Amino acid sequence: MADIIQLLPDHVANQIAAGEVVQRPASVVKELLENAIDAGADTIKLIIKDAGKTLVQVIDNGKGMSNTDARLSFERHATSKIRNAEDLFQLHTKGFRGEALASIAAIAHVELKTKQEQDDVGNTLIIEGSKVTSQEVVVTPTGTSVSVKNLFFNIPARRNFLKSDTVELRHVIDEFHRVALAHSNISFAMYNNGSESFNLPISNYRQRIVNIFGNKINEKLVPVEEDTEVLKISGFVGKPEFAKKTRGEQFFFVNNRFVKSAYLNHAIASAFEGLLKNGTYPSYFLNLTVNPQTIDINIHPTKTEIKFDDEHTLYALLRSAVKHSLGQFNIAPVLDFERDPNLDTPYSFKKDSTNAPKVEVDKSFNPFQNEETSKARAVTYKKEPTTSWESLYVGLESKGNDSKSDFTEIQFESEERTASIFDDDKQVEKTHTTYQLHNKYIVSAIKSGMLVIDQHRAHQRILYEDFLNNLTIKEAASQQLLFPLQLHFSPQDITIINQLKVDLEHTGFVFSSVKEELVEITGVPVGVPESEVSIILEQLISDVENEVPESHFSASDLLAKSMAKSLAIKTGQSLQKDEQEHLVNKLFACKEPNVSPTNRTTFVTMSVDELDKKFI
Ligand code: ADP
Ligand code: MG
């Protein structure tokens, strides 16, 4: 038989390898920013066009490259940062694989301009699909500028795979934030389609956070400092009452590198235990400094995962440092461990609270108390096993909206999941009554047996169909506000609001102005309480940020879903009899009553037969 193995041509191999490094414009942003930092720059500019699909350019004032290095830098495994495998354990640079520029050059049009301080002129190189098409001498300032144009120009499948500009820009901004937060000693600017999105001068860490997320965040930050032999922690956590509905503002940096670590995240969550409203997440901006020999960041190609030698110790230290800060600043009266936690009212969300927090230092507070139990919990990530008979009821208390109680996990069988569920038995229908169970479910008798409706999901379905109708078919009515409502947002949130403005107006919102950090609203959709508006918008922004759109991504669908989620009757809300019946009727008037807008079951039925079987 003839030989069938072939060596792939270089340019194909390069394109395949590029997939590891470059998934989207944001990956290019990350690599170029990191190279600029490794080059010792203290001023770095990022220029983006069309969410980076058309152009990503990074200009730095770092040390630049020689004529030869400029050419070499695009070769695979060409790096100035390590010489042998041992160097891997003493890394002080971001890059070390020598792959980024080679990968980027394989799948884009790249233009490099670079000059070293001692030289009068620099070099410019143009590379297209891994081929150098020109190299010339050029007059350019000291430092390096890399422009990456038309990403994936030669791999249409990858290009089509990119998400909407909104989503890609979000990823770019996330990457920019991560790098900028890790280096407040470097000045950064970002320009998007010709206008300045961020201008971050060299500053202290707190000021850097404020410059990125807006002035309002300043009052929400609680400093965290800890210095031990194995670990230095510095940074801020957000006060619990400002916890967000999304994980957006959670940043860990280890030796100035952004990392994701579910384990360390858990350490912080546990320090906040008892302080947060259900379904909210604390903000944090924490820098951990450890000996580079004790970590392995080499386990993942995009390098946000990290492995520590001694995770348990880090966990305990981090948890106690955060607890200590919250205690010191008396953010939490609940930190009094002697008290029965059941007697504490959950921290309530006070939007209008402008009172300065009382600073009462709890001198008896000992962050190392309870360490044993929390450690055990952290390691297993599980709840303690249930032992007493009372625990049978645990799943029945009303929890967060989407948390599954034991009850929802029971699988009911049902032959009748149709809109005509009440129809052909007038007898039952006339006398049918509803009953609310645990402020969560509406139970009703039906012809075949019993119907149990999840009130939150059912209401979401109803509102979703209403909103979608308004958005796509008719203009919704708007209700004028007596006084315009002013809401503060970070600059990147404003970008999203601007993108959705037209759709929002279709639902009944009226905006009188959308400015840098301020949105002014003069009208809201009929039936939407003014007090809910900021929550709706916040939820919407976070949904857009976290959305993983399919190819048929639709803004109106997302908006309808998000608003339905915000406005739907919550689990835990008690309903009058007529409200319960109204909900049932409206649900079965929906086009798809069976599932919530996010495809979760809205109701289950149980037949008399099934019930009978349980009593055998
Ligand atoms: P790595 O960063 O892993 O070394 P890259 O492909 O990102 O690999 O870069 C290859 C080499 O090019 C780097 O090691 C560095 O010497 C040089 N280089 C890249 N970008 C810059 C820059 N902005 N300024 C100076 N040198 C650079
Ligand atoms: Mg690099």
Side-chain angles (χ1 to χ4, degrees), residues 35-36 39 57-74 101 110-127 135-147:
N35 279 348
Q57 182 178 13
V58 170
I59 306 171
D60 69 56
N61 67 348
K63 63 176 181 239
M65 281 177 265
S66 70
N67 186 353
T68 326
D69 281 354
R71 212 174 232 276
L72 256 184
S73 68
F74 289 94
L101 289 183
V110 179
E111 188 181 328
L112 169 79
K113 279 189 190 158
T114 186
K115 182 182 96 67
Q116 295 184 304
E117 183 147 35
Q118 69 274 16
D119 297 336
D120 296 329
V121 287
N123 275 278
T124 175
L125 255 93
I126 295 179
I127 299 158
Q135 177 162 13
E136 284 167 16
V137 169
V138 71
V139 176
T140 181
T142 298
T144 304
S145 154
V146 184
S147 306

Side-chain angles (χ1 to χ4, degrees), residues 30-32 34-35 38 79 81 94-101 303:
K30 174 175 191 275
E31 295 298 337
L32 297 187
E34 291 190 347
N35 279 348
D38 285 346
T79 178
K81 299 169 193 174
K94 315 237 156 218
F96 57 87
R97 294 161 177 259
E99 280 186 314
L101 289 183
K303 295 172 276 176

Side-chain angles (χ1 to χ4, degrees), residues 302-582:
T302 54
K303 295 172 276 176
T304 52
E305 249 92 285
I306 189 162
K307 243 177 74 185
F308 297 99
D309 281 357
D310 186 1
E311 283 195 324
H312 295 330
T313 310
L314 294 196
Y315 184 101
L317 284 171
L318 187 62
R319 179 173 174 275
S320 72
V322 172
K323 258 190 157 176
H324 186 72
S325 290
L326 291 172
Q328 263 204 339
F329 288 82
N330 197 33
I331 301 308
V334 242
L335 276 178
D336 181 351
F337 291 120
E338 304 308 318
R339 205 138 103 213
D340 179 356
N342 294 321
L343 300 178
D344 284 317
T345 46
Y347 229 74
S348 68
F349 182 69
K350 288 207 207 88
K351 267 189 299 170
D352 52 356
S353 144
T354 47
N355 301 340
K358 267 199 289 171
V359 180
E360 270 175 29
V361 178
D362 176 1
K363 296 204 179 65
S364 63
F365 169 62
N366 173 0
F368 293 96
Q369 217 166 326
N370 275 354
E371 218 50 8
E372 271 326 296
T373 48
S374 61
K375 232 170 157 177
R377 199 178 322 127
V379 175
T380 61
Y381 279 83
K382 273 192 203 129
K383 279 195 196 160
E384 269 83 30
T386 49
T387 44
S388 61
W389 64 269
E390 287 101 318
S391 59
L392 279 175
Y393 290 93
V394 166
L396 289 178
E397 42 184 59
S398 65
K399 293 189 204 148
N401 303 343
D402 284 330
S403 71
K404 274 196 174 173
S405 74
D406 298 348
F407 215 66
T408 45
E409 275 158 10
I410 298 173
Q411 283 300 312
F412 292 92
E413 276 189 23
S414 146
E415 308 106 63
E416 283 189 86
R417 286 195 174 188
T418 65
S420 59
I421 203 152
F422 294 109
D423 275 351
D424 45 15
D425 193 339
K426 293 282 178 282
Q427 195 67 34
V428 175
E429 198 191 5
K430 242 182 260 138
T431 58
H432 98 253
T433 49
T434 53
Y435 171 76
Q436 196 184 19
L437 190 69
H438 290 277
N439 288 343
K440 179 170 190 187
Y441 296 105
I442 296 169
V443 183
S444 179
I446 52 167
K447 185 185 157 202
S448 62
M450 181 172 87
L451 167 75
V452 184
I453 296 178
D454 180 312
Q455 65 186 43
H456 177 62
R457 293 183 188 175
H459 198 214
Q460 275 194 48
R461 162 56 57 185
I462 297 164
L463 291 174
Y464 168 71
E465 292 198 4
D466 272 359
F467 283 128
L468 208 56
N469 194 29
N470 289 342
L471 279 164
T472 50
I473 298 169
K474 53 171 196 196
E475 293 274 306
S478 176
Q479 107 208 19
Q480 281 284 301
L481 298 176
L482 216 48
F483 302 103
L485 189 63
Q486 295 199 325
L487 300 172
H488 291 269
F489 288 97
S490 66
Q492 65 269 27
D493 289 351
I494 296 282
T495 319
I496 295 178
I497 292 181
N498 266 322
Q499 267 149 4
L500 293 168
K501 202 164 150 243
V502 176
D503 275 323
L504 281 165
E505 283 163 353
H506 281 289
T507 66
F509 279 99
V510 182
F511 296 92
S512 53
S513 81
V514 178
K515 284 198 291 244
E516 261 166 47
E517 288 190 16
L518 191 74
V519 172
E520 201 173 81
I521 296 170
T522 51
V524 297
V526 172
V528 171
E530 199 177 323
S531 57
E532 294 284 316
V533 173
S534 79
I535 298 171
I536 293 174
L537 292 181
E538 215 182 282
Q539 179 70 53
L540 179 65
I541 290 165
S542 100
D543 285 348
V544 171
E545 285 173 350
N546 297 317
E547 164 240 18
V548 186
E550 303 93 55
S551 46
H552 50 271
F553 162 66
S554 138
S556 4
D557 189 66
L558 182 78
L559 185 61
K561 268 187 196 146
S562 176
M563 286 181 53
K565 185 159 71 183
S566 303
L567 287 170
I569 291 164
K570 301 282 183 289
T571 296
Q573 192 169 332
S574 141
L575 299 175
Q576 304 291 324
K577 274 272 181 283
D578 53 340
E579 290 173 320
Q580 297 171 21
E581 278 176 26
H582 186 68

Side-chain angles (χ1 to χ4, degrees), residues 24-248:
R24 52 177 12 129
S27 334
V28 176
V29 169
K30 174 175 191 275
E31 295 298 337
L32 297 187
L33 289 177
E34 291 190 347
N35 279 348
I37 293 167
D38 285 346
D42 69 5
T43 304
I44 299 176
K45 254 188 225 166
L46 169 65
I47 298 167
I48 296 292
K49 280 207 184 106
D50 304 323
K53 293 174 186 169
T54 314
L55 173 74
V56 175
Q57 182 178 13
V58 170
I59 306 171
D60 69 56
N61 67 348
K63 63 176 181 239
M65 281 177 265
S66 70
N67 186 353
T68 326
D69 281 354
R71 212 174 232 276
L72 256 184
S73 68
F74 289 94
E75 297 289 326
R76 191 160 296 281
H77 305 307
T79 178
S80 55
K81 299 169 193 174
I82 57 170
R83 306 237 167 254
N84 52 46
E86 261 105 76
D87 290 348
L88 274 180
F89 300 97
Q90 272 303 342
L91 269 182
H92 293 284
T93 56
K94 315 237 156 218
F96 57 87
R97 294 161 177 259
E99 280 186 314
L101 289 183
S103 298
I104 293 168
I107 43 133
H109 297 142
V110 179
E111 188 181 328
L112 169 79
K113 279 189 190 158
T114 186
K115 182 182 96 67
Q116 295 184 304
E117 183 147 35
Q118 69 274 16
D119 297 336
D120 296 329
V121 287
N123 275 278
T124 175
L125 255 93
I126 295 179
I127 299 158
E128 297 186 350
S130 295
K131 287 198 188 66
V132 180
T133 58
S134 99
Q135 177 162 13
E136 284 167 16
V137 169
V138 71
V139 176
T140 181
T142 298
T144 304
S145 154
V146 184
S147 306
V148 176
K149 296 177 195 164
N150 310 321
L151 192 64
F152 299 130
F153 78 98
N154 50 0
I155 319 181
R158 295 293 300 272
R159 194 169 170 87
N160 294 338
F161 188 70
L162 293 177
K163 311 287 192 223
S164 65
D165 281 9
T166 315
V167 174
E168 293 301 341
L169 182 63
R170 183 68 243 162
H171 285 290
V172 167
I173 292 175
D174 279 349
E175 219 46 86
F176 178 78
H177 283 171
R178 290 168 183 177
V179 175
L181 280 170
H183 299 274
S184 58
N185 57 340
I186 297 176
S187 114
F188 288 92
M190 174 174 161
Y191 301 84
N192 177 31
N193 289 338
S195 57
E196 183 181 274
S197 312
F198 294 96
N199 188 344
L200 313 172
I202 292 175
S203 63
N204 64 25
Y205 192 47
R206 184 182 209 119
Q207 194 58 47
R208 174 59 50 99
I209 296 173
V210 168
N211 287 338
I212 293 178
F213 295 100
N215 279 329
K216 287 215 88 178
I217 199 162
N218 199 11
E219 62 187 279
K220 305 176 188 171
L221 299 175
V222 182
V224 179
E225 295 291 339
E226 183 74 76
D227 205 346
T228 72
E229 258 170 52
V230 283
L231 168 74
K232 191 168 166 300
I233 305 172
S234 74
F236 300 90
V237 292
K239 291 180 188 165
E241 67 266 40
F242 296 110
K244 297 207 121 194
K245 284 204 174 147
T246 63
R247 297 171 182 276

